[in-house]
């Protein structure tokens, strides 16, 4: 009888672990801008664009990504990435990128939309 009870408990634990670990990949797992409790407005996948350096017309002193195509629901058009790695911090670099666009607040004077890169690579033909 003890063996059957142990088996039932183990099966219940396995079911519980599988249920808890089965998280959906559809839900974004944001990492940047969380201290301000910003909401993700939209997700971009495999967009092309150009890195603009600190002397860009959008934001002085910051690197931004200027996408090739206009993104709906995004007021400013350029993206300020919170996690742009050093290897991509060169003005004029063409990239393919994915990520999250975050909301901005009315009280903020910003020059580019808040953006978190989830994937970025050099653009190749």
């Amino acid at each position: 009888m003890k063996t059957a009870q142990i088996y039932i408990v183990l099966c219940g634990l396995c079911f519980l672990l599988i249920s808890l670990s089965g998280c959906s990949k559809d839900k974004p797992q944001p990492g940047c801008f969380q201290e301000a409790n910003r909401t993700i407005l939209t997700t971009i996948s495999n967009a092309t664009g150009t890195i603009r350096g600190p002397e860009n017309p959008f934001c002085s002193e910051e690197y931004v990504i200027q996408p090739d195509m206009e993104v709906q629901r995004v007021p400013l058009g350029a993206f300020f990435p919170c996690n742009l790695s050093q290897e991509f911090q060169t003005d004029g670099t063409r990239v393919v990128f994915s990520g999250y666009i975050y909301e901005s607040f009315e009280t903020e004077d910003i020059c580019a939309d808040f953006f978190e890169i989830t994937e970025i690579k050099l653009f190749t033909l």
Side-chain angles (χ1 to χ4, degrees), residues 28-67:
Q29 297 297 317
C32 297
F33 307 115
Q34 293 308 291
E35 69 281 354
N37 293 321
R38 295 183 191 279
T39 301
I40 294 173
L41 295 178
T42 191
T43 301
I44 293 180
S45 296
N46 296 316
T48 57
T50 305
I51 304 293
R52 296 293 177 203
E55 301 301 321
N56 67 74
F58 306 101
C59 299
S60 61
E61 302 178 22
E62 301 291 344
Y63 283 93
V64 297
I65 301 173
Q66 177 62 46

